[in-house]
Amino acid sequence: MLTFIRSHVLPAVKLYLLGLRVLLVQLFNGRIRLPVMPRQDDKVAIVTGGGRGIGYEVARHMAKLGAHVIIGGRDEQECLAAIRRIHEEHQDAKVEFQKLDLASLESVRQFAQNFKERQIPLNILVNNAAVMLVPEGRTVDGFEQHFGVNYLAHFLLTWLLLDTLKNSGNSSCFSRIITVSSSAHRVGEIRLDDLNSSQCYSAHGAYCQSKLAQLLFSSHLHQELQRGGFPVSSCAVDPGMVDTDLYHHLWTPLRLAQGAVARLLFRTPAEGAATVLYAALSPALEGVRAGGYWANGRREMTTPPTFDPLLQQRLWETSHRFLVTQ
């Protein structure tokens, strides 16, 4: 019984209490509005999960500013419909779809290879797509879904495209890697001996772990890029509590309540995209001023584990070992 409470009940209680706190902070801070951003002509951006929700709003706004946007997604019809909506709003928008299934590392590798074969720059990579609180299951490669989709697939995608990002940036205009995380990282724990949650599965614990892993990766990558003197920055962004389809797997009573509350109190996808877009486009975050963790339109502090260099390094090395064996 104690094991069940510790592994299942406590992660859920921690996450929902955190959610209540985040919601109150959002209400106190008011709406997040994106300042006017400069044109992004001649820039190329990849947005994973750009067919709906926050990803769609990020892709739509970047295309509006003249960027060439590539939406990476699993659902072709959904993504093509999103592209049609963008073209209806902006006829000259340069936006396209490329198949990307983050539950398959082979699909990630194929996506990256297809992109690199085009020999075009990559100025902005937005690691946005995610799953939340899904039932226990495995990706094509056998990884727990939250860990595999939210974290490991984006780790691999970033790694495969890193040279292109480096070659596309310069001292006056860095390439940018934006990883869309969540405040859920604050109650996450990294279990290096059980990253696949095989010993005792909790959807809440697995989701929080994946979001903490994203922050550790983003922070470590930014430090490595700085040490190497490369014109690329990496940061993590928390869009807040946003009214999207991610909440589909909440416990039934909470899902019913969330449906009513979200329309009144949650951010819209466009509002949720504001901080993501600010981190990706703002001239104020050029070069060494970039990096860190962003929420509510500003840089914020994170939990102590996020700054643990040993944990960052061990997760980085473990992730590489996972990918080498696949």
Side-chain angles (χ1 to χ4, degrees):
M1 177 61 73
L2 287 177
T3 300
F4 177 82
I5 292 174
R6 186 165 53 248
S7 60
H8 287 81
V9 178
L10 281 181
V13 170
K14 287 180 180 179
L15 182 58
Y16 293 134
L17 288 176
L18 175 67
L20 179 60
R21 176 189 167 195
V22 169
L23 190 57
L24 292 173
V25 170
Q26 283 188 189
L27 294 173
F28 178 78
N29 285 333
R31 296 186 181 276
I32 302 296
R33 288 184 171 85
L34 179 69
V36 176
M37 291 289 113
R39 294 285 300 177
Q40 300 295 312
D41 301 295
D42 301 324
K43 296 270 187 81
V44 179
I46 290 175
V47 181
T48 68
R52 59 180 173 178
I54 294 170
Y56 168 74
E57 294 296 340
V58 169
R60 182 183 69 84
H61 199 89
M62 287 184 176
K64 173 186 174 182
L65 293 173
H68 175 183
V69 181
I70 299 169
I71 292 176
R74 182 176 59 180
D75 189 330
E76 181 174 358
Q77 294 306 311
E78 177 182 76
C79 291
L80 292 178
I83 290 172
R84 285 195 295 271
R85 293 198 303 275
I86 292 173
H87 279 145
E88 288 171 1
E89 188 177 351
H90 309 288
Q91 290 185 349
D92 298 329
K94 293 174 287 186
V95 58
E96 61 180 278
F97 164 74
Q98 189 173 326
K99 181 76 172 182
L100 174 62
D101 182 358
L102 293 169
S104 165
L105 296 180
E106 178 57 35
S107 177
V108 175
R109 292 187 175 98
Q110 190 62 54
F111 177 94
Q113 179 180 331
N114 291 343
F115 178 83
K116 289 192 287 188
E117 285 176 353
R118 299 172 65 176
Q119 296 185 331
I120 59 176
L122 177 59
N123 308 98
I124 304 168
L125 172 61
V126 181
N127 294 322
N128 164 74
V131 296
M132 184 173 80
L133 306 185
V134 295
E136 185 172 9
R138 292 290 183 266
T139 66
V140 172
D141 306 282
F143 295 103
E144 188 278 318
Q145 291 188 80
H146 295 93
F147 179 76
V149 172
N150 297 354
Y151 168 71
L152 194 62
H154 282 125
F155 180 104
L156 176 61
L157 179 65
T158 304
W159 185 256
L160 294 174
L161 295 175
L162 197 55
D163 283 342
T164 306
L165 286 157
K166 290 175 181 176
N167 293 332
S168 302
N170 56 59
S171 58
S172 61
C173 188
F174 276 37
S175 298
R176 302 189 189 189
I177 301 165
I178 312 298
T179 299
V180 181
S181 186
S182 164
S183 59
H185 80 275
R186 296 184 181 278
V187 293
E189 296 180 14
I190 297 293
R191 301 179 297 277
L192 288 167
D193 61 341
D194 188 27
L195 289 168
N196 282 312
S197 304
S198 300
Q199 297 174 10
C200 190
Y201 181 75
S202 160
H204 299 81
Y207 174 70
C208 295
Q209 176 183 242
S210 73
K211 291 299 168 178
L212 177 55
Q214 287 181 315
L215 257 76
L216 289 163
F217 164 65
S218 176
S219 176
H220 187 77
L221 177 60
H222 186 70
Q223 294 172 52
E224 289 292 309
L225 291 167
Q226 282 190 314
R227 279 193 285 266
F230 297 109
V232 186
S233 63
S234 168
C235 75
V237 175
D238 169 19
M241 296 189 71
V242 182
D243 188 11
T244 70
D245 293 337
L246 266 184
Y247 297 91
H248 177 72
H249 293 286
L250 282 175
W251 288 342
T252 300
L254 289 173
R255 188 173 70 248
L256 295 174
Q258 182 268 337
V261 171
R263 287 188 291 272
L264 295 173
L265 303 179
F266 282 25
R267 287 174 179 157
T268 65
E271 291 168 342
T275 304
V276 179
L277 286 162
Y278 184 78
L281 307 177
S282 176
L285 303 183
E286 192 55 73
V288 296
R289 292 170 290 180
Y293 168 69
W294 290 79
N296 297 307
R298 59 181 180 269
R299 184 181 277 113
E300 292 190 357
M301 292 294 291
T302 61
T303 54
T306 308
F307 301 102
D308 185 338
L310 179 59
L311 184 58
Q312 288 181 2
Q313 185 65 38
R314 292 179 66 190
L315 178 63
W316 181 275
E317 293 171 351
T318 301
S319 301
H320 273 290
R321 285 199 298 271
F322 280 152
L323 295 172
V324 166
T325 59
Q326 294 299 318

